[in-house]
Amino acid sequence: YHYAVDKSGNQSSSSFYLTVNNPYPTITNCPSNMTVSQNLCEGAVVTWTPPTITDNCFTVTSNYNPGDTLPVGQTEVIYTITETDRNNSTSVCSFYVTVAPVQNTVVDCPADINIHLAANKCDTTLTWNAPQFNHPCGIDSITVNQTSGSTFVPGTYPVTYVAYLTDSNDSL
């Protein structure tokens, strides 16, 4: 406030506000989700162009940077932009990178089995050789919905084997 006083003791005041503006940050060119194929099972070196941030006073942190090795599977990359001139508010740019191993899988699957029941029989026991899976990343486990050596009544039964890669949630 500014005060002015005359000889008679009358006073007058005036005031004004000073505002310094800094626009809120603008984040552009946030990378899109991406998938890369890799011959190695351990992961892949992945590059991208970081997002563009328009603001005068900010810091940027990221859980991954271009050129980092990302594991096989899906990884979320998060850029956090923190304003240093206003209450430390944050903005986020995130995207997913999927590293898919090149599928050098070999599967030796048996042929369809089609049989007729023997006379006076209502069911039969069926056996088959399980498919053989081979993948450069290794096979951790295999699940199946029908078991060789089980007894079957007339009908059609889909047999599904699922092989899970070692150290991954991916299946073949």
Side-chain angles (χ1 to χ4, degrees):
Y1 287 97
H2 296 280
Y3 295 95
V5 180
D6 65 12
K7 290 181 185 180
S8 302
N10 298 318
Q11 68 179 13
S12 177
S13 65
S14 72
S15 65
F16 63 93
Y17 292 95
L18 176 63
T19 303
V20 177
N21 288 311
N22 183 23
Y24 285 96
T26 303
I27 304 169
T28 55
N29 302 321
C30 188
S32 299
N33 295 340
M34 63 179 73
T35 299
V36 295
S37 292
Q38 175 65 29
N39 283 324
L40 301 174
C41 300
E42 298 81 33
V45 174
V46 182
T47 60
W48 59 87
T49 301
T52 304
I53 298 129
T54 306
D55 191 83
N56 294 333
C57 306
F58 66 93
T59 59
V60 177
T61 57
S62 180
N63 59 340
Y64 294 98
N65 295 300
D68 283 353
T69 300
L70 301 184
V72 171
Q74 188 176 68
T75 301
E76 184 177 21
V77 177
I78 304 169
Y79 281 87
T80 304
I81 297 88
T82 304
E83 291 184 285
T84 57
D85 59 343
R86 291 187 189 100
N87 302 329
N88 291 326
S89 63
T90 59
S91 299
V92 173
C93 158
S94 68
F95 59 97
Y96 289 93
V97 176
T98 302
V99 176
V102 173
Q103 297 297 320
N104 295 326
T105 304
V106 176
V107 179
D108 181 18
C109 201
D112 289 346
I113 299 172
N114 194 357
I115 66 157
H116 295 282
L117 290 176
N120 300 321
K121 294 289 275 178
C122 296
D123 59 27
T124 187
T125 300
L126 295 176
T127 59
W128 59 86
N129 293 326
Q132 299 299 307
F133 295 90
N134 185 3
H135 192 279
C137 296
I139 304 296
D140 188 47
S141 64
I142 298 173
T143 62
V144 62
N145 67 333
Q146 304 288 345
T147 306
S148 177
S150 296
T151 301
F152 295 88
V153 296
T156 301
Y157 302 88
V159 179
T160 304
Y161 283 80
V162 178
Y164 293 90
L165 299 177
T166 302
D167 297 326
S168 173
N169 290 326
D170 293 338
S171 62
L172 305 174

